[in-house]
PDB file of all heavy atoms in Angstrom:
ATOM      1  N   ARG A  51    -113.496-151.068-124.499  1.00 72.00           N
ATOM      2  CA  ARG A  51    -112.729-152.307-124.602  1.00 72.00           C
ATOM      3  C   ARG A  51    -113.266-153.085-125.795  1.00 72.00           C
ATOM      4  O   ARG A  51    -114.403-153.541-125.788  1.00 72.00           O
ATOM      5  CB  ARG A  51    -112.939-153.122-123.326  1.00 72.00           C
ATOM      6  CG  ARG A  51    -112.119-154.383-123.271  1.00 72.00           C
ATOM      7  CD  ARG A  51    -112.202-155.062-121.927  1.00 72.00           C
ATOM      8  NE  ARG A  51    -111.131-156.037-121.819  1.00 72.00           N
ATOM      9  CZ  ARG A  51    -109.871-155.734-121.491  1.00 72.00           C
ATOM     10  NH1 ARG A  51    -109.547-154.503-121.189  1.00 72.00           N
ATOM     11  NH2 ARG A  51    -108.936-156.663-121.446  1.00 72.00           N
ATOM     12  N   THR A  53    -112.418-155.443-129.731  1.00 93.00           N
ATOM     13  CA  THR A  53    -111.540-156.280-130.533  1.00 93.00           C
ATOM     14  C   THR A  53    -111.585-155.849-131.989  1.00 93.00           C
ATOM     15  O   THR A  53    -112.653-155.589-132.528  1.00 93.00           O
ATOM     16  CB  THR A  53    -111.982-157.748-130.430  1.00 93.00           C
ATOM     17  OG1 THR A  53    -111.888-158.159-129.064  1.00 93.00           O
ATOM     18  CG2 THR A  53    -111.109-158.643-131.276  1.00 93.00           C
ATOM     19  N   GLU A  93    -107.897-155.002-128.514  1.00 94.00           N
ATOM     20  CA  GLU A  93    -107.174-156.250-128.758  1.00 94.00           C
ATOM     21  C   GLU A  93    -107.308-156.575-130.246  1.00 94.00           C
ATOM     22  O   GLU A  93    -108.376-156.409-130.821  1.00 94.00           O
ATOM     23  CB  GLU A  93    -107.772-157.384-127.922  1.00 94.00           C
ATOM     24  CG  GLU A  93    -107.719-157.118-126.420  1.00 94.00           C
ATOM     25  CD  GLU A  93    -108.221-158.309-125.620  1.00 94.00           C
ATOM     26  OE1 GLU A  93    -107.440-159.222-125.369  1.00 94.00           O
ATOM     27  OE2 GLU A  93    -109.411-158.306-125.242  1.00 94.00           O
ATOM     28  N   GLY A 103    -102.406-175.806-148.623  1.00 90.00           N
ATOM     29  CA  GLY A 103    -101.057-176.298-148.899  1.00 90.00           C
ATOM     30  C   GLY A 103     -99.947-175.361-148.429  1.00 90.00           C
ATOM     31  O   GLY A 103     -98.766-175.718-148.453  1.00 90.00           O
ATOM     32  N   ASP A 105     -97.324-173.344-146.080  1.00 93.00           N
ATOM     33  CA  ASP A 105     -96.587-173.853-144.916  1.00 93.00           C
ATOM     34  C   ASP A 105     -96.909-173.025-143.671  1.00 93.00           C
ATOM     35  O   ASP A 105     -96.153-172.149-143.264  1.00 93.00           O
ATOM     36  CB  ASP A 105     -95.076-173.858-145.196  1.00 93.00           C
ATOM     37  CG  ASP A 105     -94.308-174.613-144.118  1.00 93.00           C
ATOM     38  OD1 ASP A 105     -94.926-174.994-143.094  1.00 93.00           O
ATOM     39  OD2 ASP A 105     -93.103-174.826-144.297  1.00 93.00           O
ATOM     40  N   PHE A 106     -98.053-173.343-143.066  1.00 96.00           N
ATOM     41  CA  PHE A 106     -98.459-172.631-141.853  1.00 96.00           C
ATOM     42  C   PHE A 106     -97.558-172.979-140.662  1.00 96.00           C
ATOM     43  O   PHE A 106     -97.376-172.152-139.771  1.00 96.00           O
ATOM     44  CB  PHE A 106     -99.926-172.951-141.507  1.00 96.00           C
ATOM     45  CG  PHE A 106    -100.927-172.239-142.372  1.00 96.00           C
ATOM     46  CD1 PHE A 106    -101.507-172.881-143.454  1.00 96.00           C
ATOM     47  CD2 PHE A 106    -101.291-170.923-142.113  1.00 96.00           C
ATOM     48  CE1 PHE A 106    -102.434-172.235-144.267  1.00 96.00           C
ATOM     49  CE2 PHE A 106    -102.219-170.264-142.909  1.00 96.00           C
ATOM     50  CZ  PHE A 106    -102.796-170.924-143.990  1.00 96.00           C
ATOM     51  N   ASN A 107     -97.005-174.187-140.666  1.00 95.00           N
ATOM     52  CA  ASN A 107     -96.088-174.550-139.569  1.00 95.00           C
ATOM     53  C   ASN A 107     -94.935-173.549-139.486  1.00 95.00           C
ATOM     54  O   ASN A 107     -94.562-173.099-138.406  1.00 95.00           O
ATOM     55  CB  ASN A 107     -95.513-175.958-139.784  1.00 95.00           C
ATOM     56  CG  ASN A 107     -96.535-177.046-139.513  1.00 95.00           C
ATOM     57  OD1 ASN A 107     -97.617-176.771-138.996  1.00 95.00           O
ATOM     58  ND2 ASN A 107     -96.199-178.284-139.854  1.00 95.00           N
ATOM     59  N   PHE A 110     -96.222-170.274-138.081  1.00 95.00           N
ATOM     60  CA  PHE A 110     -96.500-170.337-136.641  1.00 95.00           C
ATOM     61  C   PHE A 110     -95.218-170.355-135.817  1.00 95.00           C
ATOM     62  O   PHE A 110     -95.141-169.774-134.746  1.00 95.00           O
ATOM     63  CB  PHE A 110     -97.348-171.569-136.317  1.00 95.00           C
ATOM     64  CG  PHE A 110     -98.770-171.477-136.818  1.00 95.00           C
ATOM     65  CD1 PHE A 110     -99.603-172.585-136.822  1.00 95.00           C
ATOM     66  CD2 PHE A 110     -99.288-170.269-137.271  1.00 95.00           C
ATOM     67  CE1 PHE A 110    -100.920-172.499-137.267  1.00 95.00           C
ATOM     68  CE2 PHE A 110    -100.599-170.176-137.728  1.00 95.00           C
ATOM     69  CZ  PHE A 110    -101.413-171.296-137.732  1.00 95.00           C
ATOM     70  N   ARG A 111     -94.220-171.079-136.359  1.00 91.00           N
ATOM     71  CA  ARG A 111     -92.961-171.171-135.612  1.00 91.00           C
ATOM     72  C   ARG A 111     -92.205-169.850-135.635  1.00 91.00           C
ATOM     73  O   ARG A 111     -91.322-169.622-134.814  1.00 91.00           O
ATOM     74  CB  ARG A 111     -92.108-172.319-136.161  1.00 91.00           C
ATOM     75  CG  ARG A 111     -92.643-173.652-135.661  1.00 91.00           C
ATOM     76  CD  ARG A 111     -92.216-174.857-136.468  1.00 91.00           C
ATOM     77  NE  ARG A 111     -93.129-175.971-136.202  1.00 91.00           N
ATOM     78  CZ  ARG A 111     -93.098-177.130-136.837  1.00 91.00           C
ATOM     79  NH1 ARG A 111     -92.209-177.346-137.782  1.00 91.00           N
ATOM     80  NH2 ARG A 111     -93.974-178.075-136.540  1.00 91.00           N
ATOM     81  N   TYR A 128    -103.416-161.565-131.183  1.00 96.00           N
ATOM     82  CA  TYR A 128    -103.561-163.014-131.298  1.00 96.00           C
ATOM     83  C   TYR A 128    -103.510-163.355-132.779  1.00 96.00           C
ATOM     84  O   TYR A 128    -104.183-162.707-133.579  1.00 96.00           O
ATOM     85  CB  TYR A 128    -104.902-163.455-130.710  1.00 96.00           C
ATOM     86  CG  TYR A 128    -105.155-162.820-129.354  1.00 96.00           C
ATOM     87  CD1 TYR A 128    -105.826-161.601-129.247  1.00 96.00           C
ATOM     88  CD2 TYR A 128    -104.676-163.408-128.185  1.00 96.00           C
ATOM     89  CE1 TYR A 128    -106.027-160.988-128.022  1.00 96.00           C
ATOM     90  CE2 TYR A 128    -104.862-162.801-126.957  1.00 96.00           C
ATOM     91  CZ  TYR A 128    -105.538-161.594-126.879  1.00 96.00           C
ATOM     92  OH  TYR A 128    -105.713-160.989-125.667  1.00 96.00           O
ATOM     93  N   VAL A 129    -102.730-164.368-133.136  1.00 97.00           N
ATOM     94  CA  VAL A 129    -102.563-164.698-134.553  1.00 97.00           C
ATOM     95  C   VAL A 129    -103.009-166.133-134.832  1.00 97.00           C
ATOM     96  O   VAL A 129    -102.452-167.075-134.283  1.00 97.00           O
ATOM     97  CB  VAL A 129    -101.096-164.519-134.993  1.00 97.00           C
ATOM     98  CG1 VAL A 129    -100.965-164.737-136.496  1.00 97.00           C
ATOM     99  CG2 VAL A 129    -100.574-163.127-134.626  1.00 97.00           C
ATOM    100  N   ALA A 130    -104.000-166.274-135.679  1.00 98.00           N
ATOM    101  CA  ALA A 130    -104.474-167.599-136.089  1.00 98.00           C
ATOM    102  C   ALA A 130    -104.190-167.798-137.575  1.00 98.00           C
ATOM    103  O   ALA A 130    -104.029-166.836-138.327  1.00 98.00           O
ATOM    104  CB  ALA A 130    -105.971-167.719-135.825  1.00 98.00           C
ATOM    105  N   GLY A 131    -104.098-169.051-137.978  1.00 98.00           N
ATOM    106  CA  GLY A 131    -103.944-169.375-139.398  1.00 98.00           C
ATOM    107  C   GLY A 131    -105.277-169.869-139.938  1.00 98.00           C
ATOM    108  O   GLY A 131    -105.957-170.659-139.284  1.00 98.00           O
ATOM    109  N   LEU A 132    -105.631-169.401-141.107  1.00 98.00           N
ATOM    110  CA  LEU A 132    -106.931-169.790-141.664  1.00 98.00           C
ATOM    111  C   LEU A 132    -106.750-170.339-143.068  1.00 98.00           C
ATOM    112  O   LEU A 132    -106.590-169.582-144.023  1.00 98.00           O
ATOM    113  CB  LEU A 132    -107.870-168.577-141.693  1.00 98.00           C
ATOM    114  CG  LEU A 132    -109.270-168.880-142.209  1.00 98.00           C
ATOM    115  CD1 LEU A 132    -110.021-169.780-141.235  1.00 98.00           C
ATOM    116  CD2 LEU A 132    -110.043-167.598-142.439  1.00 98.00           C
ATOM    117  N   LEU A 140    -114.892-167.430-145.901  1.00 97.00           N
ATOM    118  CA  LEU A 140    -113.800-167.707-144.962  1.00 97.00           C
ATOM    119  C   LEU A 140    -114.159-167.365-143.524  1.00 97.00           C
ATOM    120  O   LEU A 140    -113.557-167.875-142.583  1.00 97.00           O
ATOM    121  CB  LEU A 140    -112.557-166.898-145.352  1.00 97.00           C
ATOM    122  CG  LEU A 140    -111.794-167.327-146.602  1.00 97.00           C
ATOM    123  CD1 LEU A 140    -110.697-166.314-146.917  1.00 97.00           C
ATOM    124  CD2 LEU A 140    -111.199-168.718-146.417  1.00 97.00           C
ATOM    125  N   PRO A 142    -117.418-165.917-140.572  1.00 97.00           N
ATOM    126  CA  PRO A 142    -118.828-165.657-140.284  1.00 97.00           C
ATOM    127  C   PRO A 142    -119.204-164.227-140.732  1.00 97.00           C
ATOM    128  O   PRO A 142    -118.342-163.357-140.843  1.00 97.00           O
ATOM    129  CB  PRO A 142    -118.913-165.760-138.755  1.00 97.00           C
ATOM    130  CG  PRO A 142    -117.728-166.569-138.344  1.00 97.00           C
ATOM    131  CD  PRO A 142    -116.656-166.256-139.347  1.00 97.00           C
ATOM    132  N   SER A 143    -120.483-164.024-140.952  1.00 95.00           N
ATOM    133  CA  SER A 143    -120.974-162.705-141.368  1.00 95.00           C
ATOM    134  C   SER A 143    -120.555-161.619-140.379  1.00 95.00           C
ATOM    135  O   SER A 143    -120.615-161.834-139.170  1.00 95.00           O
ATOM    136  CB  SER A 143    -122.503-162.691-141.419  1.00 95.00           C
ATOM    137  OG  SER A 143    -122.948-163.688-142.275  1.00 95.00           O
ATOM    138  N   ARG A 170    -119.783-159.332-147.290  1.00 97.00           N
ATOM    139  CA  ARG A 170    -120.607-160.062-146.326  1.00 97.00           C
ATOM    140  C   ARG A 170    -119.869-160.254-144.999  1.00 97.00           C
ATOM    141  O   ARG A 170    -120.455-160.193-143.924  1.00 97.00           O
ATOM    142  CB  ARG A 170    -120.971-161.421-146.930  1.00 97.00           C
ATOM    143  CG  ARG A 170    -121.732-162.363-146.026  1.00 97.00           C
ATOM    144  CD  ARG A 170    -121.811-163.752-146.643  1.00 97.00           C
ATOM    145  NE  ARG A 170    -122.054-164.758-145.629  1.00 97.00           N
ATOM    146  CZ  ARG A 170    -121.093-165.314-144.885  1.00 97.00           C
ATOM    147  NH1 ARG A 170    -119.830-164.965-145.053  1.00 97.00           N
ATOM    148  NH2 ARG A 170    -121.414-166.214-143.973  1.00 97.00           N
TER     149      ARG A 170
ATOM    150  N   ARG B  51    -129.417-164.356-136.463  1.00 72.00           N
ATOM    151  CA  ARG B  51    -128.224-164.704-137.221  1.00 72.00           C
ATOM    152  C   ARG B  51    -127.010-164.452-136.327  1.00 72.00           C
ATOM    153  O   ARG B  51    -126.725-163.323-135.977  1.00 72.00           O
ATOM    154  CB  ARG B  51    -128.152-163.793-138.443  1.00 72.00           C
ATOM    155  CG  ARG B  51    -127.000-164.080-139.344  1.00 72.00           C
ATOM    156  CD  ARG B  51    -127.070-163.313-140.642  1.00 72.00           C
ATOM    157  NE  ARG B  51    -126.175-163.925-141.611  1.00 72.00           N
ATOM    158  CZ  ARG B  51    -126.503-164.966-142.372  1.00 72.00           C
ATOM    159  NH1 ARG B  51    -127.697-165.469-142.314  1.00 72.00           N
ATOM    160  NH2 ARG B  51    -125.617-165.478-143.212  1.00 72.00           N
ATOM    161  N   THR B  53    -123.009-165.997-134.510  1.00 94.00           N
ATOM    162  CA  THR B  53    -121.821-166.817-134.617  1.00 94.00           C
ATOM    163  C   THR B  53    -121.493-167.473-133.282  1.00 94.00           C
ATOM    164  O   THR B  53    -121.572-166.830-132.246  1.00 94.00           O
ATOM    165  CB  THR B  53    -120.626-165.939-135.054  1.00 94.00           C
ATOM    166  OG1 THR B  53    -120.913-165.371-136.331  1.00 94.00           O
ATOM    167  CG2 THR B  53    -119.353-166.760-135.147  1.00 94.00           C
ATOM    168  N   GLU B  93    -123.575-169.610-137.463  1.00 94.00           N
ATOM    169  CA  GLU B  93    -122.306-169.967-138.098  1.00 94.00           C
ATOM    170  C   GLU B  93    -121.322-170.328-136.991  1.00 94.00           C
ATOM    171  O   GLU B  93    -121.278-169.672-135.954  1.00 94.00           O
ATOM    172  CB  GLU B  93    -121.769-168.792-138.902  1.00 94.00           C
ATOM    173  CG  GLU B  93    -122.713-168.343-140.012  1.00 94.00           C
ATOM    174  CD  GLU B  93    -122.114-167.228-140.859  1.00 94.00           C
ATOM    175  OE1 GLU B  93    -121.365-167.530-141.787  1.00 94.00           O
ATOM    176  OE2 GLU B  93    -122.404-166.050-140.580  1.00 94.00           O
ATOM    177  N   GLY B 103     -95.282-175.946-132.193  1.00 90.00           N
ATOM    178  CA  GLY B 103     -94.608-177.076-132.819  1.00 90.00           C
ATOM    179  C   GLY B 103     -95.549-178.142-133.358  1.00 90.00           C
ATOM    180  O   GLY B 103     -95.122-179.070-134.040  1.00 90.00           O
ATOM    181  N   ASP B 105     -98.207-180.118-135.713  1.00 93.00           N
ATOM    182  CA  ASP B 105     -98.259-180.168-137.179  1.00 93.00           C
ATOM    183  C   ASP B 105     -99.601-179.643-137.691  1.00 93.00           C
ATOM    184  O   ASP B 105    -100.499-180.407-138.040  1.00 93.00           O
ATOM    185  CB  ASP B 105     -97.991-181.591-137.673  1.00 93.00           C
ATOM    186  CG  ASP B 105     -97.779-181.635-139.187  1.00 93.00           C
ATOM    187  OD1 ASP B 105     -97.985-180.593-139.855  1.00 93.00           O
ATOM    188  OD2 ASP B 105     -97.407-182.693-139.706  1.00 93.00           O
ATOM    189  N   PHE B 106     -99.719-178.325-137.748  1.00 96.00           N
ATOM    190  CA  PHE B 106    -100.958-177.715-138.236  1.00 96.00           C
ATOM    191  C   PHE B 106    -101.146-177.949-139.737  1.00 96.00           C
ATOM    192  O   PHE B 106    -102.275-178.006-140.217  1.00 96.00           O
ATOM    193  CB  PHE B 106    -100.971-176.213-137.931  1.00 96.00           C
ATOM    194  CG  PHE B 106    -101.266-175.881-136.489  1.00 96.00           C
ATOM    195  CD1 PHE B 106    -100.242-175.615-135.598  1.00 96.00           C
ATOM    196  CD2 PHE B 106    -102.567-175.837-136.023  1.00 96.00           C
ATOM    197  CE1 PHE B 106    -100.502-175.313-134.260  1.00 96.00           C
ATOM    198  CE2 PHE B 106    -102.848-175.538-134.696  1.00 96.00           C
ATOM    199  CZ  PHE B 106    -101.815-175.279-133.802  1.00 96.00           C
ATOM    200  N   ASN B 107    -100.038-178.061-140.470  1.00 95.00           N
ATOM    201  CA  ASN B 107    -100.165-178.336-141.910  1.00 95.00           C
ATOM    202  C   ASN B 107    -100.978-179.607-142.137  1.00 95.00           C
ATOM    203  O   ASN B 107    -101.854-179.658-142.998  1.00 95.00           O
ATOM    204  CB  ASN B 107     -98.783-178.505-142.550  1.00 95.00           C
ATOM    205  CG  ASN B 107     -98.044-177.185-142.702  1.00 95.00           C
ATOM    206  OD1 ASN B 107     -98.623-176.115-142.479  1.00 95.00           O
ATOM    207  ND2 ASN B 107     -96.779-177.251-143.073  1.00 95.00           N
ATOM    208  N   PHE B 110    -104.648-178.920-141.373  1.00 95.00           N
ATOM    209  CA  PHE B 110    -105.298-178.104-142.403  1.00 95.00           C
ATOM    210  C   PHE B 110    -105.556-178.904-143.668  1.00 95.00           C
ATOM    211  O   PHE B 110    -106.571-178.732-144.343  1.00 95.00           O
ATOM    212  CB  PHE B 110    -104.444-176.879-142.721  1.00 95.00           C
ATOM    213  CG  PHE B 110    -104.407-175.859-141.611  1.00 95.00           C
ATOM    214  CD1 PHE B 110    -103.490-174.811-141.627  1.00 95.00           C
ATOM    215  CD2 PHE B 110    -105.295-175.920-140.543  1.00 95.00           C
ATOM    216  CE1 PHE B 110    -103.464-173.864-140.609  1.00 95.00           C
ATOM    217  CE2 PHE B 110    -105.278-174.976-139.515  1.00 95.00           C
ATOM    218  CZ  PHE B 110    -104.348-173.943-139.553  1.00 95.00           C
ATOM    219  N   ARG B 111    -104.585-179.773-144.008  1.00 91.00           N
ATOM    220  CA  ARG B 111    -104.750-180.561-145.241  1.00 91.00           C
ATOM    221  C   ARG B 111    -105.825-181.625-145.082  1.00 91.00           C
ATOM    222  O   ARG B 111    -106.329-182.146-146.059  1.00 91.00           O
ATOM    223  CB  ARG B 111    -103.410-181.161-145.651  1.00 91.00           C
ATOM    224  CG  ARG B 111    -102.528-180.106-146.322  1.00 91.00           C
ATOM    225  CD  ARG B 111    -101.062-180.443-146.327  1.00 91.00           C
ATOM    226  NE  ARG B 111    -100.288-179.202-146.546  1.00 91.00           N
ATOM    227  CZ  ARG B 111     -98.977-179.124-146.502  1.00 91.00           C
ATOM    228  NH1 ARG B 111     -98.254-180.200-146.272  1.00 91.00           N
ATOM    229  NH2 ARG B 111     -98.364-177.971-146.690  1.00 91.00           N
ATOM    230  N   TYR B 128    -116.154-172.584-140.018  1.00 96.00           N
ATOM    231  CA  TYR B 128    -114.856-172.070-140.422  1.00 96.00           C
ATOM    232  C   TYR B 128    -113.839-172.578-139.415  1.00 96.00           C
ATOM    233  O   TYR B 128    -114.073-172.498-138.211  1.00 96.00           O
ATOM    234  CB  TYR B 128    -114.871-170.542-140.422  1.00 96.00           C
ATOM    235  CG  TYR B 128    -116.090-169.989-141.120  1.00 96.00           C
ATOM    236  CD1 TYR B 128    -117.269-169.731-140.413  1.00 96.00           C
ATOM    237  CD2 TYR B 128    -116.089-169.781-142.496  1.00 96.00           C
ATOM    238  CE1 TYR B 128    -118.408-169.271-141.056  1.00 96.00           C
ATOM    239  CE2 TYR B 128    -117.226-169.318-143.148  1.00 96.00           C
ATOM    240  CZ  TYR B 128    -118.379-169.075-142.431  1.00 96.00           C
ATOM    241  OH  TYR B 128    -119.503-168.632-143.070  1.00 96.00           O
ATOM    242  N   VAL B 129    -112.724-173.116-139.895  1.00 97.00           N
ATOM    243  CA  VAL B 129    -111.749-173.707-138.979  1.00 97.00           C
ATOM    244  C   VAL B 129    -110.400-172.991-139.096  1.00 97.00           C
ATOM    245  O   VAL B 129    -109.790-172.971-140.170  1.00 97.00           O
ATOM    246  CB  VAL B 129    -111.555-175.206-139.261  1.00 97.00           C
ATOM    247  CG1 VAL B 129    -110.623-175.815-138.226  1.00 97.00           C
ATOM    248  CG2 VAL B 129    -112.899-175.934-139.266  1.00 97.00           C
ATOM    249  N   ALA B 130    -109.952-172.408-138.005  1.00 98.00           N
ATOM    250  CA  ALA B 130    -108.638-171.756-137.958  1.00 98.00           C
ATOM    251  C   ALA B 130    -107.737-172.519-137.005  1.00 98.00           C
ATOM    252  O   ALA B 130    -108.205-173.225-136.114  1.00 98.00           O
ATOM    253  CB  ALA B 130    -108.789-170.313-137.497  1.00 98.00           C
ATOM    254  N   GLY B 131    -106.436-172.391-137.210  1.00 98.00           N
ATOM    255  CA  GLY B 131    -105.457-172.967-136.291  1.00 98.00           C
ATOM    256  C   GLY B 131    -104.882-171.868-135.419  1.00 98.00           C
ATOM    257  O   GLY B 131    -104.577-170.780-135.919  1.00 98.00           O
ATOM    258  N   LEU B 132    -104.753-172.135-134.139  1.00 98.00           N
ATOM    259  CA  LEU B 132    -104.262-171.100-133.229  1.00 98.00           C
ATOM    260  C   LEU B 132    -103.084-171.636-132.414  1.00 98.00           C
ATOM    261  O   LEU B 132    -103.274-172.370-131.448  1.00 98.00           O
ATOM    262  CB  LEU B 132    -105.385-170.655-132.286  1.00 98.00           C
ATOM    263  CG  LEU B 132    -105.000-169.528-131.332  1.00 98.00           C
ATOM    264  CD1 LEU B 132    -104.765-168.238-132.104  1.00 98.00           C
ATOM    265  CD2 LEU B 132    -106.069-169.325-130.284  1.00 98.00           C
ATOM    266  N   LEU B 140    -105.012-166.473-125.167  1.00 97.00           N
ATOM    267  CA  LEU B 140    -105.121-166.984-126.532  1.00 97.00           C
ATOM    268  C   LEU B 140    -106.139-166.216-127.364  1.00 97.00           C
ATOM    269  O   LEU B 140    -106.094-166.223-128.591  1.00 97.00           O
ATOM    270  CB  LEU B 140    -105.535-168.467-126.502  1.00 97.00           C
ATOM    271  CG  LEU B 140    -104.503-169.483-126.043  1.00 97.00           C
ATOM    272  CD1 LEU B 140    -105.141-170.855-125.931  1.00 97.00           C
ATOM    273  CD2 LEU B 140    -103.322-169.523-127.008  1.00 97.00           C
ATOM    274  N   PRO B 142    -109.100-162.672-127.574  1.00 97.00           N
ATOM    275  CA  PRO B 142    -109.589-161.401-127.024  1.00 97.00           C
ATOM    276  C   PRO B 142    -110.649-161.670-125.947  1.00 97.00           C
ATOM    277  O   PRO B 142    -111.283-162.731-125.935  1.00 97.00           O
ATOM    278  CB  PRO B 142    -110.226-160.712-128.232  1.00 97.00           C
ATOM    279  CG  PRO B 142    -109.610-161.348-129.427  1.00 97.00           C
ATOM    280  CD  PRO B 142    -109.324-162.768-129.027  1.00 97.00           C
ATOM    281  N   SER B 143    -110.837-160.711-125.073  1.00 95.00           N
ATOM    282  CA  SER B 143    -111.835-160.833-124.014  1.00 95.00           C
ATOM    283  C   SER B 143    -113.209-161.131-124.583  1.00 95.00           C
ATOM    284  O   SER B 143    -113.617-160.558-125.585  1.00 95.00           O
ATOM    285  CB  SER B 143    -111.947-159.518-123.243  1.00 95.00           C
ATOM    286  OG  SER B 143    -110.701-159.164-122.732  1.00 95.00           O
ATOM    287  N   ARG B 170    -111.826-165.161-118.609  1.00 97.00           N
ATOM    288  CA  ARG B 170    -111.741-163.844-119.246  1.00 97.00           C
ATOM    289  C   ARG B 170    -112.126-163.917-120.736  1.00 97.00           C
ATOM    290  O   ARG B 170    -112.744-163.005-121.280  1.00 97.00           O
ATOM    291  CB  ARG B 170    -110.293-163.348-119.112  1.00 97.00           C
ATOM    292  CG  ARG B 170    -109.976-162.055-119.815  1.00 97.00           C
ATOM    293  CD  ARG B 170    -108.457-161.823-119.852  1.00 97.00           C
ATOM    294  NE  ARG B 170    -108.090-160.923-120.919  1.00 97.00           N
ATOM    295  CZ  ARG B 170    -107.869-161.299-122.175  1.00 97.00           C
ATOM    296  NH1 ARG B 170    -108.002-162.554-122.531  1.00 97.00           N
ATOM    297  NH2 ARG B 170    -107.543-160.399-123.090  1.00 97.00           N
TER     298      ARG B 170
END
Side-chain angles (χ1 to χ4, degrees):
Chain A
R51 184 172 195 81
T53 299
E93 300 184 84
D105 190 352
F106 284 98
N107 286 350
F110 290 168
R111 283 160 200 174
Y128 313 91
V129 185
L132 182 68
L140 288 173
S143 303
R170 175 190 158 276
Chain B
R51 182 171 197 84
T53 299
E93 300 184 84
D105 191 352
F106 284 97
N107 286 351
F110 290 168
R111 282 160 200 174
Y128 313 90
V129 184
L132 183 68
L140 288 174
S143 303
R170 175 192 158 275

